[in-house]
Amino acid sequence: MRIRHFAYISLMALALSGCNDALETAQVDLSKVKNKVEQPLPSHILAQMSAKGMDRNSPIMIRIFKEEGAMEIWKAKTDNRFDKIADYKICAWSGRLGPKVKTGDRQAPEGFYDLTRANLNPNSKYYLAINTGFPNRYDAANGRSGSDLMIHGACSSSGCYSMTDQQVLEIYAFARDAFKGGQATVQLQAFPFRMTAENMVKHRLDGNYDFWKMLKVGYDNFEVTKRPPEVNVCEKKYVFNQQATDGSAFNAAGKCPAMSTPPALTAALASYGKTYDADYAKAMSKFDGMAWYDPTEAERKAVVAKQRKGRELAYAPTGTSLEAGRMVKVAELEDMMAKRTAQGLAAKSASGATPVTPAQPQAVAVAAATPAVVPVPMQNPLAFAAPEPQETAEATAKKPFWKFWARN
């Protein structure tokens, strides 16, 4: 009897283990959550933090990859670098790959955004929410418009990154604890896809490619240093980890000041760039005459339509571009893009609306890259308490990062 009982328990444990492996995130019975704003992180995440050498209230960073429908939480370790502590499947994001340009375009933001305590919304009608901070200085300088674009629960999106309520409960807790630990701003990095050589080759014909190359510089800086890059804007473009040599402030729409990059970082990026160049050449050979077809939101929804069965109507997962997109011949892609543009212009004309022209790609100098293991000196993320950002944050001198690089 005992043996039979033990076998039964073992089988149940195995079944539950398999079930848990399939879950997108640790399940929480929301009806038993007494205070969602102060709900602690699950014990298994706290155990992971301890194993990785992370303080519960150390700084975090959030990364989003639209194409994969993935959101990652990275957290500072006691050895001064960031490591991934959690990842989630984004339940719904609207539009297609590419940045948000204007109100009503249904696009979810892409770029680098600073989140403060004020971005946390404990009273959201979508359970909990975190404002992405769109438009930021880059968006404003380029005339982009939109407001109230959130990371929130409910799994339904119109320009937002929507999660399940259980997921946003954890994400909110990560940000709350980091702010309690003294982090002034949490960096949100929103990318169209993981900016590997293969992905850049696949998307090389997209009209947003130059914009994405600019974002890739920030992506590369993080991959090399495992530290959120210092982000500034000048001449209506992003610049990363740049020091104004004459001490001038960065003006989003004005001319960039004379800038320099710390020698250690320059060397690391150069080494990292050699690996990227080799990978890019291989990818060009691999995908010769082919490019990626980015699916529409409707095509993504069709792939995951069955997920809505038995759910509330508001539950509207959108699926990933990887599931609905595909590689096609370049000629076929160009023909599809031409037809889509013509259909869009015809629809605008029929409705009497003014045609919306695509945002012009930004001409930027790009530092090539893809990961390589290169030791780079790092500052302690807990050693400096930056002041709470104000509306004139772009004119505020940022000292700790550069003092550290100068010393090393």
Side-chain angles (χ1 to χ4, degrees), residues 82-353:
F82 280 57
D83 195 2
K84 186 169 66 175
I85 186 62
D87 52 21
Y88 306 92
K89 290 183 180 179
I90 297 172
C91 199
W93 58 272
S94 59
R96 309 182 66 164
L97 301 186
K100 183 169 187 63
V101 175
K102 63 177 296 182
T103 301
D105 63 8
R106 289 186 57 80
Q107 287 292 105
E110 292 176 6
F112 290 76
Y113 297 86
D114 287 335
L115 315 179
T116 70
R117 290 181 185 84
N119 291 75
L120 300 183
N121 181 5
N123 302 311
S124 172
K125 63 180 180 180
Y126 298 114
Y127 196 69
L128 288 169
I130 303 174
N131 193 308
T132 62
F134 181 94
N136 62 13
R137 287 173 289 156
Y138 172 86
D139 301 320
N142 285 276
R144 297 178 175 178
S145 63
S147 62
D148 300 325
L149 301 177
M150 306 281 182
I151 297 169
H152 61 67
C155 189
S156 181
S157 172
S158 180
C160 299
Y161 291 105
S162 185
M163 318 299 291
T164 65
D165 290 350
Q166 288 89 350
Q167 288 173 328
V168 79
L169 184 67
E170 286 187 6
I171 295 164
Y172 191 98
F174 273 116
R176 177 203 63 217
D177 288 354
F179 288 134
K180 284 184 177 180
Q183 187 173 10
T185 58
V186 169
Q187 189 173 100
L188 167 64
Q189 302 178 358
F191 299 106
F193 43 77
R194 295 188 187 277
M195 310 199 95
T196 63
E198 278 206 1
N199 281 339
M200 295 301 286
V201 168
K202 287 180 179 180
H203 294 278
R204 67 192 183 280
L205 299 183
D206 195 289
N208 296 297
Y209 190 71
D210 283 342
F211 171 70
W212 292 339
K213 286 198 298 182
M214 178 173 55
L215 297 188
K216 187 179 184 303
V217 180
Y219 177 94
D220 295 344
N221 272 260
F222 177 73
E223 289 297 314
V224 166
T225 66
K226 286 299 182 284
R227 292 268 303 146
E230 183 173 329
V231 182
N232 280 298
V233 182
C234 57
E235 297 179 12
K236 299 184 179 182
K237 65 185 181 184
Y238 285 112
V239 292
F240 303 96
N241 288 338
Q242 292 297 300
Q243 181 182 24
T245 56
D246 60 359
S248 300
F250 286 87
N251 185 315
K255 185 177 179 180
C256 290
M259 299 179 293
S260 66
T261 307
L265 181 57
T266 299
L269 286 170
S271 175
Y272 162 110
K274 289 180 182 178
T275 303
Y276 175 81
D277 290 342
D279 290 342
Y280 192 92
K282 290 178 184 177
M284 282 296 291
S285 178
K286 178 180 178 179
F287 300 118
D288 184 33
M290 304 289 287
W292 180 258
Y293 167 70
D294 177 33
T296 64
E297 183 178 346
E299 288 170 325
R300 289 191 287 112
K301 284 184 175 180
V303 173
V304 297
K306 291 182 180 179
Q307 293 182 16
R308 301 186 67 176
K309 291 183 178 180
R311 300 267 195 164
E312 297 178 1
L313 290 176
Y315 182 82
T318 55
T320 74
S321 294
L322 290 179
E323 294 172 304
R326 64 189 186 278
M327 292 296 289
V328 299
K329 292 182 178 179
V330 168
E332 181 184 353
L333 180 61
E334 290 175 340
D335 184 54
M336 294 165 70
M337 293 168 68
K339 287 180 178 178
R340 181 181 297 154
T341 300
Q343 290 171 354
L345 292 174
K348 293 288 184 183
S349 178
S351 66

Side-chain angles (χ1 to χ4, degrees), residues 116-117 182-185 384-390 393 396-400:
T116 70
R117 290 181 185 84
Q183 187 173 10
T185 58
F384 305 96
E388 196 73 29
Q390 304 296 320
T396 303
K398 299 179 181 179
K399 298 178 180 179

